[in-house]
Amino acid sequence: MTTAFQAQDAPSAALPAGGTLLAAYRPGPARAFFAGPDGTLLAEGLRRAVPDPASAGRLLAEARTAREDNPVVVGAIPFAPGRDAQLFIPAEVRRAGAVRESALPRPPLAPAAGRAWSQRPVPAPEAYRTAVAEAVRLMNEHPELSKVVLARTLELTAPGGADLTTMLHRLIHRDPNGYTFAVPAGGAATLVGASPELLLSRRGRSVVSNPLAGSAARSADPVEDMRRAAALTESPKDLAEHAFVVDAVRRTLEPYCADLVVPARPSLIRTAAMWHLSTTVTGTLRDAATSALDLALALHPTPAVCGTPTDRARELIGALEPFDRGLYTGVVGWGDATGDGEWVVTLRCAEAEGERLRLFAGAGVVAASVPEHELAETGAKFRTFLHAVGLEDAK
């Protein structure tokens, strides 16, 4: 099957192994790495900044006319509306097959500074539990507010900061079937992540969205791990949370698609740290002029990262979260001048700058949520990055 990562005139067999691009990536301005199950992309050099996602299509068309090629826009879009995106059209784009298909060496050990990281949770765990309890109270008083996603951060600081290339290598080895990325985050900062959730991909007229909602932490005990997975598939709270997200994706994509296939029940997917309820939605576009980025912007933010209804949930997030999400729970990926592309939800990510590494994790809160359980879920989600820097437990 041809994938969206392939050059328009080249079969997948002609692409180099994704591991070559992983080895070539170095963090810095106008440099981006994106790896998914179907391929890998490395972008370098600034041809043009794209601060407004809505202008991406026009700027790509102008670049295509000027250079007679198929230019790409790559980078990240923030959670909050009205904020500048961190998108750019690179001077050079290299593509490769999936990294998981490469004969990669064993991942490097965590950096020597890994065990020297100091941790500061924002908010403190007790404050996060209080915020969840307040959200539950408001949902019980106002049934029209069905769900809100509340996040917290973990700020890590160490002399010398993070070794981003080593972290990226370890993230890919930990979850080779997910989406791993490193893109500029403004100034000297870099956004690094390993998201399990595909927001929208497009290849020709074919589109795919894979919303995730409803989660359970993995267990090192195989029997307990299977018990948790089975319990997740029968959990009324998690099934309801998942249904909110899938319904929102369906309602958003229906006007754009001549046909849309939405499975009646979710399936399970797993990462190294979590089980997730998953639904793969597929469709065929009515209009080939509708790009992957157009659809990603229409879907963003889904209830999986914001809540239901969107405006009310976003307002509550602003009142209860004591930090700016920035690019977290936004969108990250790439799109080309033909309209093809792949955009994922910016989850399991960290913002690195200087000696600081700021991790993010969130949990979907519904009327049946238990504050302690949501705190534990966010702690489990932090483990993806804690493993990458040589730490295992979050505060």
Side-chain angles (χ1 to χ4, degrees), residues 113-132:
R115 304 197 191 285
W117 290 99
S118 63
Q119 301 184 41
R120 186 173 78 94
V122 179
E126 58 272 19
Y128 183 78
R129 285 192 293 263
T130 298
V132 172

Side-chain angles (χ1 to χ4, degrees), residues 25 76 181-185 189-193 327-328 332 346 349-352 360:
Y25 170 75
F181 53 86
V183 300
T190 299
L191 181 75
V192 183
L327 297 173
Y328 169 64
V332 62
T346 312
C349 66
E351 185 179 287
F360 301 86

